[in-house]
Amino acid sequence: MELHDLVGPIDTLSSNWPDQPQVYQHTPDTFRDLLTLHEIDELIDSNCLAARNVVLLRKEDGGVVESHEYTDGDMPRPGTVREHLDRGGSISLRLLHTLYPRLAILKNNVQGATLCRAHVNAYLTPGRQQGLRYHYDPYVTLIVQLHGRKTWPLHKPMVERPTEEHENFRLRGWTDEEHKFLATTPPAQSVTLEPGNVFWLPRGWIHAPYAVSEEPSLHITVALKERTLSWLVEHLAEIIVRHARADFDARQVLAPADLLADPNEALEWTRKYMIGALIGLDLEATMASALNKARTT
């Protein structure tokens, strides 16, 4: 499956990269060949689901259950994942592109079309239950609803342009003021997804989805980790570092006094070296290497 099967023409997407949530409508059976509830049930009930591929989310608060509570070594204890679901808890199925070739193809096609680093997860929530509470992701989330119905209450970003390295919710959480706002303020909008719906959720948008039908909700998420200017800075820096490691002059020893007593001379040499290396870069070759890196890593 290709990205355009989910969101329409790629040229339109590339030139008008969405910064607002939007839903793409398809027929209910459009994505039945991607993943089914029956396949997930088989993984769970045959005890073939490795611990690295599943996270249990508490019914009470949406928090993550500590893995030692339900795993022995690399595998969940037999029956524990099913028992968790039966009690109303949700599960997050991680890196499904490493388990299903068709999801690996989708992941690779999405990455090739957008240059965004991608992965594929899934979420299974029992009927009328909720998994994660309000949070935001540091990447675009492309949600494909496969089974059941799920409502997504949304708030506009409180953190602009978060990344995995900067203002990541997993590390930052909420301030007291933000927590109070989310507890007392109705969502800015709500979106209810049904099978065949694809939902584009830009990074930073706050959400806390919950199942609204009696049957369980299953959706996959294709994470699109966008390339940023800081990513390109990092790529150029890596090229300069590789060049410096091979450069005879750059391999000269810095005596302790060069750093402790009077580091200015060494810093000035380094600054000029980096400026010269940047000026001397072959822009065409550098961009080609950046594009190859974006498509493959």
Side-chain angles (χ1 to χ4, degrees), residues 97-124:
H97 58 275
T98 65
L99 298 180
Y100 293 101
R102 59 187 178 275
L103 295 181
I105 292 171
L106 173 63
K107 175 255 183 191
N108 292 335
N109 287 343
V110 167
Q111 184 158 335
T114 65
L115 304 182
C116 297
R117 187 159 54 96
H119 69 254
V120 180
N121 292 344
Y123 290 84
L124 177 59

Side-chain angles (χ1 to χ4, degrees), residues 7-283:
V7 299
I10 302 304
D11 290 345
T12 301
L13 181 75
S14 296
S15 58
N16 297 281
W17 195 252
D19 61 2
Q20 299 291 315
Q22 53 187 284
V23 177
Y24 303 86
Q25 305 281 353
H26 303 273
T27 59
D29 61 350
T30 300
F31 306 113
R32 64 184 178 184
D33 292 334
L34 271 182
L35 187 68
T36 67
L37 183 60
H38 176 69
E39 289 175 305
I40 297 302
D41 283 338
E42 280 189 326
L43 270 182
I44 294 169
D45 295 329
S46 62
N47 298 308
C48 291
L49 193 60
R52 68 178 179 274
N53 293 119
V54 62
V55 172
L56 307 190
L57 303 172
R58 290 190 296 267
K59 173 183 177 180
E60 295 75 18
D61 60 5
V64 173
V65 178
E66 294 290 342
S67 60
H68 67 80
E69 296 183 28
Y70 61 93
T71 63
D72 287 325
D74 295 333
M75 301 295 291
R77 290 189 288 275
T80 54
V81 176
R82 178 58 64 193
E83 291 170 5
H84 177 77
L85 288 166
D86 289 343
R87 292 195 300 268
S90 297
I91 63 173
S92 170
L93 299 157
R94 304 295 176 90
L95 304 180
L96 289 187
H97 58 275
T98 65
L99 298 180
Y100 293 101
R102 59 187 178 275
L103 295 181
I105 292 171
L106 173 63
K107 175 255 183 191
N108 292 335
N109 287 343
V110 167
Q111 184 158 335
T114 65
L115 304 182
C116 297
R117 187 159 54 96
H119 69 254
V120 180
N121 292 344
Y123 290 84
L124 177 59
T125 300
R128 303 293 181 184
Q129 300 297 331
Q130 183 172 15
L132 294 168
R133 302 314 196 254
Y134 274 127
H135 67 287
Y136 62 83
D137 296 308
Y139 41 74
V140 170
T141 306
L142 195 58
I143 296 104
V144 182
Q145 188 71 24
L146 301 172
H147 190 93
R149 299 170 64 241
K150 205 165 201 178
T151 292
W152 294 68
L154 303 174
H155 287 277
K156 293 181 179 181
M158 294 180 180
V159 175
E160 295 294 333
R161 299 176 180 173
T163 66
E164 290 184 291
E165 300 81 14
H166 178 74
E167 299 285 17
N168 190 326
F169 176 76
R170 288 183 300 168
L171 303 176
R172 176 186 183 276
W174 299 121
T175 66
D176 290 342
E177 183 178 352
E178 290 167 346
H179 191 274
K180 181 179 179 181
F181 175 87
L182 294 172
T184 59
T185 306
Q189 59 179 292
S190 290
V191 175
T192 297
L193 301 182
E194 300 180 347
N197 291 164
V198 176
F199 183 33
W200 178 284
L201 187 62
R203 60 177 166 145
W205 277 78
I206 300 163
H207 53 285
Y210 54 91
V212 292
S213 55
E214 295 297 334
E215 58 185 340
S217 168
L218 173 66
H219 71 265
I220 64 169
T221 63
V222 183
L224 282 71
K225 301 178 181 180
E226 298 157 302
R227 309 302 181 175
T228 63
L229 289 174
S230 65
W231 172 82
L232 192 55
V233 168
E234 182 180 353
H235 180 66
L236 296 184
E238 289 172 353
I239 293 174
I240 293 172
V241 168
R242 287 198 300 270
H243 183 273
R245 287 172 176 166
D247 189 295
F248 178 79
D249 290 336
R251 299 201 309 272
Q252 66 178 311
V253 172
L254 284 173
D258 294 333
L259 294 174
L260 297 173
D262 185 17
N264 289 339
E265 182 177 349
L267 287 172
E268 180 61 18
W269 185 94
T270 303
R271 186 182 70 85
K272 290 180 178 179
Y273 183 90
M274 295 181 73
I275 292 172
L278 279 171
I279 293 173
L281 282 176
D282 182 329
L283 294 184

